[in-house]
Amino acid sequence: MEFPYGQDPGAPIRSGVPEHGRIPKYYAAKVEIAALLDELGGGEVLPTERELAARFEVSRETLRQALRELILEGRLRRLGRGTVVAGPKLEQPLSLASYTEGVRGQGRKPGRHLVGLDRFPCPPALAGDLGLEVGDAVWHMERVLLADDERVGLESTYVAVERVPDLAADFEPDSSFYAYLHQRLGIGFGDADERLETVLATPREALLIGTPGALPMLLIHRLSRDTQGRPLERVRSLYRGDRFSFTTHLGKPTPG
């Protein structure tokens, strides 16, 4: 059986062609360039704008609009003065598995760079989430997320000092915090609540991650609890929208 319009399952219906049949020139060029990227493969250098504009018979400005969208979607990336085909996106599971496990499971090298580790009195907005009294001591750890030394995200972790009193002395900032809790302190994760949304990075976040401010980001808020149901950590994780996708498994629905 052939699929409609010669497309594979899961492709945009009619490749994004409106019902009236008129396709914007930039989008037609984008479709052609996307097919070229599949032929070239990850890491290959794209021909120059002049060559592409002549090949697809469009203006340089029309071509640039197509390239900008492909960059935002993570199909292309800038490298020096050129443009190269990006590799596949990292697939991060929406589960209690750590970032380290998710990246390592795809054959990539996970890493983190410590931005700061601070201790401060717990504010009212955080006290309820962590099951603390206002003024209790809290750690805030901020780290840039790395995959094969490429900056791909920014993570902020808030945890009560009473749960991890020696964090500043015992923890290696480039390692997995989940592994530290489990292996060094015997703390296991029970469950968590997560919320996922799309945002733009602040100027500071864009600078730390090394991305343009207009690049869409995927933001996950997580509140984790231990195996006894006690609040354990609150995490704010910001991921590059052009480098990440998220997966989950849905079980059998409950009748009714």
Side-chain angles (χ1 to χ4, degrees):
M1 173 183 176
E2 290 189 4
F3 290 95
Y5 309 101
Q7 296 177 224
D8 293 329
I13 299 301
R14 298 179 62 184
S15 292
V17 180
E19 273 62 30
H20 56 55
R22 296 188 296 274
I23 308 172
K25 288 184 178 180
Y26 87 89
Y27 192 86
K30 177 183 172 183
V31 172
E32 295 284 357
I33 297 170
L36 174 61
L37 303 187
D38 292 335
E39 295 176 10
L40 292 175
E44 293 296 319
V45 178
L46 200 66
T48 66
E49 288 186 2
R50 183 184 299 276
E51 292 171 325
L52 290 172
R55 177 172 178 171
F56 301 123
E57 299 181 342
V58 294
S59 69
R60 295 281 288 274
E61 184 53 40
T62 296
L63 179 76
R64 287 172 185 148
Q65 185 176 356
L67 294 177
R68 282 194 294 268
E69 287 203 1
L70 289 166
I71 289 171
L72 287 175
E73 291 175 2
R75 299 293 310 276
L76 293 171
R77 61 187 178 91
R78 300 293 189 189
L79 186 63
R81 299 184 63 181
T83 304
V84 300
V85 181
K89 289 188 178 183
L90 289 159
E91 292 186 1
Q92 187 72 356
L94 287 171
S95 69
L96 277 173
S98 71
Y99 170 79
T100 298
E101 294 173 31
V103 173
R104 188 174 289 151
Q106 296 172 75
R108 304 286 296 275
K109 177 186 174 184
R112 294 172 177 84
H113 170 70
L114 182 66
V115 178
L117 177 60
D118 303 303
R119 174 174 171 161
F120 60 91
C122 185
L126 191 59
D129 284 347
L130 294 181
L132 300 175
E133 297 292 332
V134 174
D136 287 348
V138 170
W139 291 113
H140 171 233
M141 179 168 58
E142 186 178 36
R143 297 183 293 174
V144 174
L145 302 175
L146 307 172
D148 290 341
D149 297 321
E150 177 188 10
R151 291 178 287 174
V152 293
L154 185 66
E155 180 183 77
S156 287
T157 302
Y158 301 87
V159 60
V161 170
E162 68 175 4
R163 302 300 300 271
V164 285
D166 300 318
L167 184 66
D170 291 348
F171 179 63
E172 294 293 335
D174 62 348
S175 65
S176 168
F177 182 55
Y178 285 16
Y180 169 76
L181 291 175
H182 179 68
Q183 296 170 10
R184 292 290 297 270
L185 304 180
I187 299 175
F189 282 81
D191 66 346
D193 296 317
E194 285 192 336
R195 176 165 57 89
L196 175 64
E197 59 183 307
T198 304
V199 299
L200 295 178
T202 66
R204 176 180 179 271
E205 290 168 338
L207 183 63
L208 287 170
I209 303 172
T211 58
L215 180 71
M217 296 282 181
L218 297 168
L219 174 61
I220 292 184
H221 302 272
R222 172 183 284 187
L223 178 60
S224 304
R225 289 171 286 270
D226 63 19
T227 51
Q228 283 74 48
R230 294 178 57 196
L232 182 54
E233 60 163 4
R234 194 172 90 176
V235 183
R236 181 184 187 274
S237 301
L238 192 66
Y239 297 93
R240 289 179 53 163
D242 64 334
R243 301 301 296 129
F244 272 91
S245 64
F246 289 86
T247 62
T248 189
H249 172 73
L250 303 177
K252 184 178 179 180
T254 302

